[in-house]
């Protein structure tokens, strides 16, 4: 008796390679048939082709929906759609839920109305709600028509919340019991289930009005005397959420208190749904992803194999902003053209001042954005952090600025130029620190995402600022 | 009967504010005593002081260790140590585990040897292993001396793996059963436990040699007939990990297959430990954090309230690298000083070419780093992705480059300058795309972290490259 162990990452890579090999072989056959159009040849080759195709579809059947999703995401569009065609129709729904938004779009585009309805019909109300925004509205209506009253209500409830609200993420798989029964009764009740919901680590204890009065952890149920009453074993100190709570806050609570599942209640403590750690893990991953991307000025997670035009669209907005800020920086230099003409060394030295400022500002802003996202920094602490950053930047400015000042002196034989260099660098680092604290703090105060394009914005400040400070000082003291 | 609901994020903020208020009031009293040194006055004030202090320590006792950790992280050093002093000694260990590395250091520094030993003694072997690297070695030896043989073996095993290996993260809280008993027997066996391990959603089924033969999910145990044998109910298709597996891969498997806990086995499938989703959530959070930070060239997560010098140390390495690259860029410009002297407009326009290249290169590199981190991009796909990025950059170069070319023409009245501008921008964007794909791919191939300083490196390429391309073209065609 041995375990069928699934050694994951390695296995998954092996599966991907297998799929790619089969696709390649199918392509080879097709190319061959295409080239030599002898009917006999074609027939033989087609048999081989069918064999590969059958093998591929068998391979896909054995994989977990999440693994199929991973493979679809790792394949370029044409191969992706070929694999998607071979996936059994009854797994379409689960797989659509697992793939990234960008890839989901390409898959849905390739399906007709009936296929989409069939895929959507297999999903629970909360899963359907996740998928609904990406589906043609006709498909959503058709699927809704087939739901019973309770499911339709759940779907409508889930769709009435945003994706970043607990109500938009919670599911409705609730196992509920009363407080005045014995554990023995609970055990008998559970045996009537065909299966318990995923991630059910606790059962919800409610009263006649469906008000939550406690939770019974399965661990407690298992170790306690079956004769005891639920009320004497259950936990009353429960972490609950409201449907309009922020999912990010909920995810932090899951992380902080090591939760597996938690009840969602309305304002009267009536049980309305359930959050699980699986949803929170997905959220944490997506959130960190969107933070990284939006700092770099990418609009959303991009399909790695997206067409060139889709990628251009995803990136052009912040490039355009950057273009404007670069133009401003250029005009700042333009204003000092006379000084540069007089002392051309300025042109060579000014990018150093601007560049170091940009790098240092990016370090500050990254740290502040992170602290705000983690809720570790209150807005009223901005003042204190700013003073610290100023300290850091004055030290860096004096140390590195002096080094560069000496270098400038050595290169161009003017100690005055060196002093201007050191001063400009220190001042630009102070500017970088100030803007690095101010930009995200202001964004947060205005209710905007502090990460959004933060890198572009801080660089804009340190470029224009750096040029102005350096060329300005040079003009005043060296001309 | 109502639930003591803990509405988290709000509650936590309220707790933090409460703590801060108490600290402020204590400070006020101290300032007062300090100013007016009348003995009577002092006595009265001291009473008030004691009262605040008692209230604060009561408040702290009610909070979850993770919440105390959060409060400690949110407070500046002096207030943090004051709160830390008021935390009951028997909770020190748990809280030290929860705080960030940087804050942990400040707390450990404030404790003497006995306090540290007392704190460490309360921990499990796997927790102790996490803490050990931060503790003075004398403390570790002393605590080790108090462990029994099995615990000492576990500790040594845990400490022999790196933090990013499964063996360094797993715990040893294993509930094991045999396959040939009935569920009734299992249920009776579990009732003998005082409590089950956290996140126990499955029991491990082993044979006489401790070899893993399957797992019994608690959900299955609860819904199945108590007369059935474990072997007929257990799952044989188990996701397992080896102690030297990468934790990142394990975290992705937990995310992909929605796991709560999973067995760790040695190469003979003998059960040696257990991974839980709580550890994986922590890992995912830390990993995404370190990705963001290392892209910006920050060495590690920084204590928000770290001293100025600690911050300087954390950041100086990449600033120094940046200084060198900025110097190179400056020398590139220096080589063209003659051209700039002839046409000073070049000095004003060159930062635009460099800046847009940097921004675009950062977008590309962010996407590639992400895809590599998520295992969604294989190294053999770099070629295909590069071609796509080239497409994106040629379009962006021609569109935005032309716009800027026209602008340069309008500003300086030279259409030739406009053409040079457009060409230089397109070429620099192509360079940005090439380096954006190449840098992280090479880093990955060399076994380095592709995120590390990627932003600094790509900017270095697009700065020097942009200046060289633009000034070079201008020198050839305009001089």
């Amino acid at each position: 008796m041995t375990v069928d162990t699934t050694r994951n990452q390695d296995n998954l890579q092996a599966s991907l390679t297998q799929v790619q090999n089969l696709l390649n072989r199918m392509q080879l056959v097709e190319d061959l048939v295409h080239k030599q159009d002898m009917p006999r040849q074609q027939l033989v080759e087609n048999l081989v082709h069918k064999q590969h195709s059958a093998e591929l579809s068998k391979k896909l059947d054995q994989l977990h929906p999440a693994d199929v999703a991973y493979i679809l995401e790792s394949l370029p569009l044409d191969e992706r759609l070929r694999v998607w065609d071979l996936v059994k129709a009854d797994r379409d729904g689960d797989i659509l839920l697992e793939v990234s938004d960008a890839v989901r779009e390409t898959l849905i585009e390739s399906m007709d109305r009936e296929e989409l309805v069939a895929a959507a019909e297999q999903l629970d109300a909360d899963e359907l709600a996740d998928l609904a925004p990406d589906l043609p509205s006709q498909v959503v209506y058709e699927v809704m028509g087939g739901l019973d009253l309770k499911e339709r209500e759940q779907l409508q409830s889930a769709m009435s919340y945003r994706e970043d609200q607990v109500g938009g993420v919670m599911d409705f798989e609730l196992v509920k019991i009363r407080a005045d029964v014995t554990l023995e009764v609970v055990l008998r009740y559970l045996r009537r289930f065909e299966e318990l919901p995923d991630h059910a680590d606790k059962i919800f204890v409610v009263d006649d009005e469906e008000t939550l009065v406690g939770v019974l952890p399965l661990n407690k149920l298992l170790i306690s005397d079956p004769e005891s009453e639920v009320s004497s074993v259950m936990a009353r100190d429960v972490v609950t959420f409201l449907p309009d709570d922020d999912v990010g806050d909920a995810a932090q609570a899951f992380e902080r208190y090591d939760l597996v599942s938690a009840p969602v209640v309305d304002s009267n403590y009536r049980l309305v749904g359930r959050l699980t750690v699986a949803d929170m893990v997905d959220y944490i991953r997506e959130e960190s992803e969107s933070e990284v991307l939006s700092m770099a000025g990418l609009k959303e997670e991009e399909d790695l194999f997206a067409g060139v035009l889709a990628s251009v669209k995803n990136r052009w907005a912040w490039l355009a902003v950057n273009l404007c800020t670069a133009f401003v920086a250029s005009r700042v230099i333009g204003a000092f053209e006379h000084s540069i003409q007089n002392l051309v060394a300025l042109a060579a030295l000014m990018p150093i001042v601007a560049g170091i400022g940009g790098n240092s500002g990016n370090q500050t802003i990254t740290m502040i954005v992170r602290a705000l996202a983690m809720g570790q920094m209150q807005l009223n602490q901005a003042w204190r952090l700013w003073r610290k950053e100023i300290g850091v930047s004055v030290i860096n400015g004096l140390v590195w600025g002096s080094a560069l000042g000496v270098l400038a002196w050595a290169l161009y034989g003017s100690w005055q130029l060196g002093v201007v260099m050191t001063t400009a660098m220190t001042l630009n680092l102070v500017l970088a620190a100030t803007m690095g604290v101010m930009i995200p703090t202001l964004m947060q105060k205005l209710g905007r995402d502090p990460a959004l394009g933060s890198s572009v914005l801080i660089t804009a400040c340190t470029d224009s600022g750096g040029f102005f400070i350096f060329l300005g000082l040079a003009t005043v003291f060296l001309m």
Side-chain angles (χ1 to χ4, degrees), chain A residues 27 165 216 281:
Chain A
Q27 189 61 50
Q165 288 183 310
L216 177 63
V281 169

Side-chain angles (χ1 to χ4, degrees), chain A residues 360 364 367-368 382-399 425-438:
Chain A
S360 174
T364 302
M367 222 193 51
I368 302 282
W383 181 245
R384 185 192 270 263
L385 286 173
W386 176 73
R387 272 181 311 181
K388 175 191 134 189
E389 291 298 318
I390 293 293
V392 174
S393 57
V394 167
I395 293 183
N396 277 332
L398 291 178
V399 172
M425 241 183 84
T426 310
L427 289 178
N428 198 32
L429 287 183
V430 168
L431 175 71
T434 307
M435 301 312 288
V437 175
M438 221 170 83

Side-chain angles (χ1 to χ4, degrees), chain A residues 214-262:
Chain A
V215 296
L216 177 63
L218 296 188
N219 284 353
K220 280 267 185 174
L221 170 62
L222 284 167
I223 59 167
S224 306
D225 178 6
E227 303 300 315
S228 4
E229 249 194 20
V230 168
S231 60
S232 70
V233 175
M234 71 182 189
R236 288 160 209 272
D237 183 13
V238 185
V239 179
T240 62
F241 301 95
L242 295 174
D244 51 9
D245 277 352
D246 182 60
V247 178
D249 289 346
Q252 280 183 24
F254 265 74
E255 195 181 342
R256 199 172 299 122
Y257 308 119
D258 293 344
L259 302 175
V260 173
S261 74

